[in-house]
Amino acid sequence: MDWMKMPPLSSLKAFHAFAQTRNVVKAGDLLNVSHAAISQQLRALEKHLGTALLDRRGKSLQLTAEGEKLARSLQLGFGAIGDAVADLMHLAEDRPVHVSLTPTFAASWLMPRLPAFQALHSDIPLALDPSPKIVSLRPGGVDVAIRYGDGDWPGLNAELLLQSPIVIVAAPSLLGGKTSLTPDELSKLPWLEELGSTETATWLARHGAERGPSAGRIAMPGNLVLEGVRAGQGAAVTVRHFVEADIEAGRVIELFRERGTLGYHIVTGNTPLRPAVKTFVGWLRRQAGKM
């Protein structure tokens, strides 16, 4: 196909609308433009093709034989395009909202709230991907990511959902009666860490204990880390929000708290969100507002 010889799409649409309605006013209503704009597009199309598509001799416009031929072709072409678009939009509507999030956030924050979402939006399926790995956000893939940080991620839209500082915690049984330890003393404890993360080594190195945990480090799914901490199996780096109740109840002791304004963010790509994704994101905002 020689695209340089093709007429402008706007003139083809105007002609197709006229062929459907056989009236310039109704064609204008169909495309939400004036009848004068339709007439102008029809003349421009005839000029481009170098042939008469309309017979203007009677009281009303009629299609010539050439016009009827083009009208049939456009009916097939635009009809096929319309069917394909409708199918794709239907597929997009049926596709689950794909959410990437850390296992800890999934187990501690989202899962207890999901029954409320399902009760309100039983028609919206969700696909949760609990993983600490950073994923790309693209149409047809992950729709929403919930990630911890400062929200400064170039090329993405980030909205603060839950603000909470990073803390170091351990159970009293692991600390032997102590309520405070230096980073060097902490490095001698066993540590529990979420699979795929390096938070333990990063934190210790940043506080002068470069050699890392001398008593060993166990990597496990994030939803199991806090259970291990409560059982006295090791110290851990975590977000304070998830252990606030444990700290208040004395089940764990807060040994260090990082300063700053970090938190969990709703992260989306720079593309229009599907209606179902908008609904889920709006629900997340309202849940955070209830806290």
Side-chain angles (χ1 to χ4, degrees), residues 9 23 26-27 32 57 60 64 111 122 128 173 192 194 196 211 214 220 229 231-232 250:
L9 179 60
N23 183 284
K26 291 181 179 179
N32 197 29
R57 293 175 298 180
S60 60
T64 64
M111 292 302 295
S122 58
L128 304 184
S173 59
L192 308 179
E194 186 172 44
R211 67 176 180 274
S214 59
M220 60 184 65
V229 171

Side-chain angles (χ1 to χ4, degrees), residues 103-179:
T104 301
F105 187 89
S108 300
W109 194 92
L110 185 60
M111 292 302 295
R113 292 170 168 81
L114 275 187
F117 178 82
Q118 293 172 323
L120 291 172
H121 306 288
S122 58
D123 58 323
I124 298 180
L126 299 177
L128 304 184
D129 181 12
S131 170
K133 294 181 180 178
I134 301 300
V135 298
S136 60
L137 302 174
R138 62 185 186 278
V142 174
D143 295 297
V144 182
I146 301 176
R147 286 292 180 264
Y148 190 85
D150 61 6
D152 184 16
W153 296 296
L156 297 172
N157 297 314
E159 175 185 345
L160 183 64
L161 176 67
L162 170 65
Q163 185 173 325
S164 187
I166 288 288
V167 294
I168 308 300
V169 293
S173 59
L174 182 68
L175 300 177
K178 295 183 179 180
T179 57

